[in-house]
Amino acid sequence: MMKTESVLLQTLCVPCANRCRYCLLSWDGTPVGAAWDRSVELARGFKTWIAEHRPELTFSFAFGYSMEHPDLRNALRTLREIGSPQSEFLQCDGMRMRDEAECAALAEMLAQEGVKQLNFTLYGLPDYHDRFAARKGDFDLLLRLSRAAKAAGLKLSVSIPLTAESAPQADPLLGLLRGQNVCDRIYLFVPHGEGRGASLQSIRFSTDALKALSADALALLNRELYRPEGEWVTGPWYREETKRTLLISLRKDELARCASMSPGELIAETEALDEAYYAAFPGFRELAERYGDPEGKGFYRQRDLFHHYRRLYASEFGVRVRDVMDERLTGSRRY
């Protein structure tokens, strides 16, 4: 029995300054999210309803595509009032260009408003990162923001995606970051295939690229979470998903309909989308028998490999069902 544990309400109403090759939300320059003020109104009503009718559920509210909200200070106060984790943790890629003084002012404001931690994504060394993010100077901006965050007393984590292209850059990049002495945590991860991440399949990190990493770098990759396809297919590592988070995306083209429904109706509708999607596909083991490569060298996390196999199945059999993994739309996350 699948158990709903949490609900995330979001609006993708804030533009992002980057156009990354790896973008969960497939940012194309046009925000799809409903207006901020109307979304906040719905979020407040949602929180009240859940507290009264479904107190076992965790509720949060967030915005994207980036954190460059035109009134960020008051947005953070609103998030804090609603109890959103985003009021304390900001993923700060795609911010507008700022000089040292502007970065310091931003970091000081964030600290004043109760933000505890920032996270940045670095795709590789400066030139490669800027090409990947499609913005010249983006790497240097992140370093400026990092130094400002450190000076303001904020914690800073840096995530580094691993591909066949970026793996040889991991150790030099770690050396550069450690030389800055601003990071509280650095970790490596293997990009998923969602959104524009699907375009990275041809350069997916694999066992062949392991030799490009020192033991020091490899220690920053969670090998319990990320395994070669062959290990998932032949080993005992796959774990059945029994819980889910619902993601309700407030979009311009659906806001009126969402506003006309009660939170309970929206939750039920989203659960039905989740059930319909997963009912359209065989389970992981059956899909792995059909599409899995026991010698597969590409690294995946469990959810990503399952999604990869479902895409292959949908293509082969012409399955037409709403992809609940598309985070621009209302959907879900199972775990």
Side-chain angles (χ1 to χ4, degrees):
M1 180 69 177
M2 185 58 54
K3 180 183 179 184
T4 300
E5 290 205 320
S6 60
V7 177
L8 169 62
L9 196 70
Q10 75 170 10
T11 176
L12 299 175
C13 62
V14 179
C16 178
N18 291 349
R19 197 71 66 87
C20 300
R21 286 170 62 191
Y22 162 66
C23 178
L24 172 65
L25 299 170
S26 298
W27 168 244
D28 64 2
T30 304
V32 299
W36 170 254
D37 290 347
R38 190 69 179 101
S39 299
V40 168
E41 181 183 341
L42 291 178
R44 287 178 173 139
F46 226 103
K47 181 183 179 182
T48 299
W49 187 92
I50 284 181
E52 293 178 356
H53 300 281
R54 297 288 302 274
E56 78 280 6
L57 297 179
T58 299
F59 174 71
S60 58
F61 173 60
F63 68 88
Y65 292 81
S66 77
M67 300 301 98
E68 196 63 74
H69 194 286
D71 188 4
L72 184 54
R73 185 186 292 274
N74 283 321
L76 289 169
R77 291 176 179 177
T78 298
L79 292 172
R80 188 164 62 248
E81 169 205 332
I82 294 174
S84 172
Q86 198 180 37
S87 65
E88 295 187 356
F89 177 87
L90 295 184
Q91 215 290 334
C92 286
D93 298 326
M95 304 291 278
R96 68 172 176 82
M97 284 293 171
R98 288 174 168 86
D99 60 23
E100 295 280 358
E102 291 171 315
C103 287
L106 174 63
E108 289 167 8
M109 183 275 286
L110 296 179
Q112 291 167 5
E113 293 303 325
V115 174
K116 300 292 191 297
Q117 182 176 336
L118 307 184
N119 174 262
F120 302 126
T121 306
L122 291 174
Y123 298 111
L125 292 169
D127 288 344
Y128 181 86
H129 170 93
D130 287 357
R131 290 195 302 273
F132 199 101
R135 183 166 62 150
K136 186 172 179 57
D138 191 68
F139 188 97
D140 288 341
L141 170 64
L142 294 182
L143 289 189
R144 287 196 295 276
L145 286 170
S146 299
R147 291 191 292 267
K150 182 74 169 182
L154 299 172
K155 298 291 185 183
L156 179 71
S157 62
V158 173
S159 49
I160 301 173
L162 281 177
T163 67
E165 289 181 355
S166 68
Q169 303 174 52
D171 277 284
L173 180 56
L174 288 173
L176 187 158
L177 290 173
R178 287 167 176 162
Q180 293 283 316
N181 194 32
V182 292
C183 301
D184 296 283
R185 183 189 176 203
I186 303 173
Y187 62 94
L188 308 182
F189 70 97
V190 178
H192 54 64
E194 299 166 40
R196 270 204 294 277
S199 68
L200 302 183
Q201 188 66 15
S202 64
I203 57 168
R204 179 170 288 276
F205 181 75
S206 71
T207 53
D208 292 335
L210 282 174
K211 59 181 177 294
L213 301 180
S214 68
D216 178 44
L218 189 56
L220 301 179
L221 176 68
N222 185 341
R223 286 287 276 108
E224 294 297 314
L225 188 62
Y226 300 103
R227 298 178 180 277
E229 179 182 9
E231 289 187 14
W232 289 118
V233 171
T234 62
W237 314 113
Y238 179 81
R239 296 290 179 265
E240 291 296 329
E241 299 164 325
T242 59
K243 302 173 183 178
R244 66 188 167 199
T245 291
L246 304 180
L247 169 63
I248 299 175
S249 189
L250 300 175
R251 295 170 55 95
K252 295 175 185 178
D253 55 359
E254 294 186 349
L255 181 62
R257 189 183 69 84
C258 289
S260 72
M261 300 170 67
S262 72
E265 290 172 328
L266 281 169
I267 288 173
E269 179 182 77
T270 308
E271 288 177 332
L273 286 172
D274 171 272
E275 297 292 344
Y277 175 75
Y278 285 95
F281 299 97
F284 177 81
R285 288 301 174 194
E286 184 177 341
L287 288 173
E289 287 179 8
R290 187 176 192 89
Y291 303 111
D293 179 0
E295 304 298 325
K297 297 179 178 181
F299 273 69
Y300 294 84
R301 61 185 299 172
Q302 172 179 305
R303 184 177 71 198
D304 193 30
L305 185 58
F306 198 176
H307 191 225
H308 174 61
Y309 289 159
R310 288 196 299 269
R311 279 179 167 170
L312 294 175
Y313 184 91
S315 177
E316 181 177 357
F317 292 99
V319 175
R320 298 290 182 266
V321 64
R322 167 77 161 270
D323 184 0
V324 296
M325 303 283 281
D326 186 339
E327 291 201 7
R328 297 168 298 176
L329 308 173
T330 291
S332 60
R333 277 286 184 267
R334 288 190 173 190
Y335 52 94

